[in-house]
Amino acid sequence: MLLIDINIKYQNFTLQTCHTILASGVTALFGRSGSGKSTLLRVIAGLEGCAKGRVVWGDEVWQDDSHFTPPHKRGLGFVFQDSRLFAHLTVAGNLAYADKRARDLPGANLDEIVDALDLGPLMARHPATLSGGEQSRCAIGRALLTRPRMLLMDEPLAALDANRKAEILPYLERLRDRIGTPILYVSHNMAEVTRLANHLMLIDAGRITHSGPLSALLADPAAAPALGPQEAGAVITATLTAHEPDGLARLQTTTAPLFLPHIEAPLGSRLRIRILAQDVIIAREAPAGLSALNILPAEISQISGDDGPAVMVQLRAGDDLILARITRRSASALGLCIGMACFAIVKSVSVAPAHIGPDHNTSHQRP
Amino acid sequence: MVTVCHEPTRSWPALAYAPAGGHHHSIPFDPWRPLAWWLARTRSRFKPVVEALTALPLVLPPTVLGFYLLVLFSPNSTFGGFWVQVTGETLTFSFTGLVIASMIYSLPFMVQPLQSAFEAVGRAPLEAAMMLRATPLDRFFTVAVPLAKRGFLTALVLSFTHTLGEFGVVLMVGGNIPGKTKVISIAIYEHVEMINYADAHVLAAILLVFSFATLLMVYTLNRRFPSGGHG
């Protein structure tokens, strides 16, 4: 458990937070650019000397009024946005730099890391000759070789284009599942966050506004404004049961089947699927003559609206929670109220491939 | 005060300089490296003062610097006297004194390239090293120094070649004693004064070729080193 009780004032920005972070699984710190998420990560690492407050890891005080543990003694790994590989060393040299300074500590060994990140073919190369994605992989491997007690990742994929991102995400998922190091992952990309994290913290204007298990928080209509209307959307888990001949994938949820565009995964895989609130339609009766394939029987569990023309409706479909963003006018025309039985309709093609990823931490998926 | 030995000599002055050059360049590194490091990273308000002091030998007439050094090195002064007590030798008109004087004279040529090389390395790779459990000293030797390699090479060669051509300070402090503190640049002056152009030509040509070859080597090697920063 990591406790951060911190207050930093910059010229036009104050980071003020008192919060605990779980030292297990993947915790995502999500916020817009300039919300203070990277600064918070640097405070935890000890890289922001001017921060005032307390940072405590378990029973070790890293920072208070009279004491400051320097970064190299905190036992944390850090993956910077700009990989920061050492230009004067090869990939092997960069990895050895970390490995040499953490040899006696428990954790993954060099071969495991090289294998998990496919670094073998890159070992003799210099950082300047690597692609952005390759640099990211090396930087992640190097950080893990310090056998960190927690790995801090500051938007490690932000500098990469969509294709490179898609190339790295599976590696991160593999690491999350193979190497049990807790990860604190800073990002402003919700698709990345939903694929990797099982715990979510939302940060806005220097303050942590919401925190909780990923699926519960994403399905919480109250947290939706913090994510922005475009990003709000719940995550459900489903099992891939068939690759249909027409190119669709059939997934089993706890209620009805879902049909989504082809998914590159073996049958039987447990998958996380993020369904954006704006892509969900609510019907009071089972619709007929509708092109949408995905019609999930559900029950309305929450309705929340702000002053705007839209309301956020939370639906319980079996064990899963789904968010729908509909107009206030529709909500009153349908007479929606809590406890009402209805149907959630999701258009198959609206679920982007980036919003689907394997799920291995089902224990964290409980709403 | 200064007795310049004008004894005409056919002895080969370059031989006298060889130990001076060879000896010299390995010494000035170590006191100036931490200074350059400090200048590159400090936020102290005394930084401009130290920077100005460091650059002083660049603008000061060599005779002024030579004069003060001569006063400082004199066995009658506190420092010079202490030196005589400890080593049994005087600093004035000795090879050791010449080396120390050269170090001070070439200080800006040493510190400034190093400082800018360290500045070019920046905080980023050092923060990365911090997060890889490297202690401050470890970070300095394994990250800052290798990434500032280009600056080291420049500093080394600039101060070496600069020392090769120095005149005023050497004359003041060293006294141009053949076989001991006589250097090429002064020997050329002597040859010219005695209208011995043939010997002056030979020595001048040697200095010219040597300086050019050294600089050529630096610029060639520079292309092979990373320019600092990170990849």
Side-chain angles (χ1 to χ4, degrees), chain B residues 151-165:
Chain B
F152 272 88
L153 193 68
T154 314
L156 185 81
V157 171
L158 273 183
S159 57
F160 176 74
T161 43
H162 177 68
T163 312
L164 202 67

mmCIF file of all heavy atoms in Angstrom, chain B residues 151-165:
data_model
loop_
_atom_site.group_PDB
_atom_site.id
_atom_site.type_symbol
_atom_site.label_atom_id
_atom_site.label_comp_id
_atom_site.label_asym_id
_atom_site.label_seq_id
_atom_site.Cartn_x
_atom_site.Cartn_y
_atom_site.Cartn_z
ATOM 1 N N GLY B 151 32.635 16.079 -25.358
ATOM 2 C CA GLY B 151 33.124 17.257 -24.650
ATOM 3 C C GLY B 151 34.484 16.995 -24.039
ATOM 4 O O GLY B 151 35.355 17.863 -24.035
ATOM 5 N N PHE B 152 34.699 15.776 -23.553
ATOM 6 C CA PHE B 152 35.988 15.433 -22.953
ATOM 7 C C PHE B 152 37.097 15.509 -23.977
ATOM 8 O O PHE B 152 38.155 16.063 -23.730
ATOM 9 C CB PHE B 152 35.942 14.025 -22.359
ATOM 10 C CG PHE B 152 35.468 14.022 -20.952
ATOM 11 C CD1 PHE B 152 34.122 13.945 -20.674
ATOM 12 C CD2 PHE B 152 36.360 14.138 -19.908
ATOM 13 C CE1 PHE B 152 33.671 13.973 -19.381
ATOM 14 C CE2 PHE B 152 35.923 14.167 -18.610
ATOM 15 C CZ PHE B 152 34.572 14.080 -18.337
ATOM 16 N N LEU B 153 36.807 14.958 -25.140
ATOM 17 C CA LEU B 153 37.810 14.937 -26.189
ATOM 18 C C LEU B 153 38.149 16.367 -26.619
ATOM 19 O O LEU B 153 39.310 16.741 -26.742
ATOM 20 C CB LEU B 153 37.274 14.131 -27.373
ATOM 21 C CG LEU B 153 38.321 13.776 -28.400
ATOM 22 C CD1 LEU B 153 39.298 12.780 -27.815
ATOM 23 C CD2 LEU B 153 37.657 13.192 -29.630
ATOM 24 N N THR B 154 37.109 17.164 -26.807
ATOM 25 C CA THR B 154 37.322 18.557 -27.200
ATOM 26 C C THR B 154 38.133 19.289 -26.144
ATOM 27 O O THR B 154 39.097 19.993 -26.454
ATOM 28 C CB THR B 154 35.966 19.265 -27.388
ATOM 29 O OG1 THR B 154 35.129 18.412 -28.159
ATOM 30 C CG2 THR B 154 36.131 20.588 -28.078
ATOM 31 N N ALA B 155 37.741 19.107 -24.884
ATOM 32 C CA ALA B 155 38.414 19.793 -23.784
ATOM 33 C C ALA B 155 39.884 19.400 -23.734
ATOM 34 O O ALA B 155 40.772 20.248 -23.627
ATOM 35 C CB ALA B 155 37.730 19.436 -22.467
ATOM 36 N N LEU B 156 40.104 18.113 -23.863
ATOM 37 C CA LEU B 156 41.464 17.582 -23.792
ATOM 38 C C LEU B 156 42.340 18.207 -24.868
ATOM 39 O O LEU B 156 43.414 18.732 -24.603
ATOM 40 C CB LEU B 156 41.382 16.061 -23.984
ATOM 41 C CG LEU B 156 42.675 15.299 -23.821
ATOM 42 C CD1 LEU B 156 42.909 15.088 -22.338
ATOM 43 C CD2 LEU B 156 42.593 13.965 -24.526
ATOM 44 N N VAL B 157 41.858 18.161 -26.068
ATOM 45 C CA VAL B 157 42.679 18.602 -27.190
ATOM 46 C C VAL B 157 42.813 20.113 -27.214
ATOM 47 O O VAL B 157 43.898 20.644 -27.464
ATOM 48 C CB VAL B 157 42.089 18.068 -28.503
ATOM 49 C CG1 VAL B 157 42.808 18.692 -29.679
ATOM 50 C CG2 VAL B 157 42.227 16.567 -28.532
ATOM 51 N N LEU B 158 41.729 20.826 -26.939
ATOM 52 C CA LEU B 158 41.807 22.286 -26.932
ATOM 53 C C LEU B 158 42.818 22.765 -25.910
ATOM 54 O O LEU B 158 43.666 23.611 -26.200
ATOM 55 C CB LEU B 158 40.438 22.889 -26.609
ATOM 56 C CG LEU B 158 39.504 23.098 -27.794
ATOM 57 C CD1 LEU B 158 38.231 23.779 -27.317
ATOM 58 C CD2 LEU B 158 40.189 23.946 -28.862
ATOM 59 N N SER B 159 42.745 22.207 -24.704
ATOM 60 C CA SER B 159 43.651 22.699 -23.675
ATOM 61 C C SER B 159 45.076 22.267 -23.973
ATOM 62 O O SER B 159 46.019 23.017 -23.745
ATOM 63 C CB SER B 159 43.212 22.230 -22.289
ATOM 64 O OG SER B 159 43.149 20.831 -22.269
ATOM 65 N N PHE B 160 45.211 21.081 -24.560
ATOM 66 C CA PHE B 160 46.560 20.604 -24.893
ATOM 67 C C PHE B 160 47.197 21.481 -25.973
ATOM 68 O O PHE B 160 48.302 21.982 -25.812
ATOM 69 C CB PHE B 160 46.490 19.150 -25.358
ATOM 70 C CG PHE B 160 47.803 18.597 -25.815
ATOM 71 C CD1 PHE B 160 48.785 18.284 -24.889
ATOM 72 C CD2 PHE B 160 48.067 18.405 -27.170
ATOM 73 C CE1 PHE B 160 50.002 17.783 -25.290
ATOM 74 C CE2 PHE B 160 49.287 17.908 -27.586
ATOM 75 C CZ PHE B 160 50.253 17.595 -26.652
ATOM 76 N N THR B 161 46.459 21.699 -27.038
ATOM 77 C CA THR B 161 47.029 22.480 -28.130
ATOM 78 C C THR B 161 47.189 23.941 -27.722
ATOM 79 O O THR B 161 48.113 24.618 -28.148
ATOM 80 C CB THR B 161 46.154 22.389 -29.395
ATOM 81 O OG1 THR B 161 44.795 22.505 -29.004
ATOM 82 C CG2 THR B 161 46.364 21.098 -30.124
ATOM 83 N N HIS B 162 46.285 24.393 -26.879
ATOM 84 C CA HIS B 162 46.376 25.766 -26.404
ATOM 85 C C HIS B 162 47.647 25.946 -25.560
ATOM 86 O O HIS B 162 48.371 26.928 -25.696
ATOM 87 C CB HIS B 162 45.136 26.084 -25.574
ATOM 88 C CG HIS B 162 45.148 27.441 -24.979
ATOM 89 N ND1 HIS B 162 45.054 28.584 -25.737
ATOM 90 C CD2 HIS B 162 45.256 27.851 -23.699
ATOM 91 C CE1 HIS B 162 45.089 29.629 -24.953
ATOM 92 N NE2 HIS B 162 45.218 29.229 -23.708
ATOM 93 N N THR B 163 47.921 24.960 -24.726
ATOM 94 C CA THR B 163 49.102 24.997 -23.878
ATOM 95 C C THR B 163 50.369 24.966 -24.729
ATOM 96 O O THR B 163 51.365 25.617 -24.420
ATOM 97 C CB THR B 163 49.109 23.793 -22.919
ATOM 98 O OG1 THR B 163 47.831 23.712 -22.322
ATOM 99 C CG2 THR B 163 50.165 23.930 -21.871
ATOM 100 N N LEU B 164 50.288 24.217 -25.821
ATOM 101 C CA LEU B 164 51.409 24.088 -26.742
ATOM 102 C C LEU B 164 51.848 25.464 -27.237
ATOM 103 O O LEU B 164 53.031 25.734 -27.411
ATOM 104 C CB LEU B 164 50.952 23.232 -27.927
ATOM 105 C CG LEU B 164 51.991 22.525 -28.759
ATOM 106 C CD1 LEU B 164 52.663 21.458 -27.923
ATOM 107 C CD2 LEU B 164 51.324 21.903 -29.967
ATOM 108 N N GLY B 165 50.879 26.344 -27.458
ATOM 109 C CA GLY B 165 51.208 27.636 -28.031
ATOM 110 C C GLY B 165 51.375 28.741 -27.008
ATOM 111 O O GLY B 165 51.592 29.881 -27.362
#
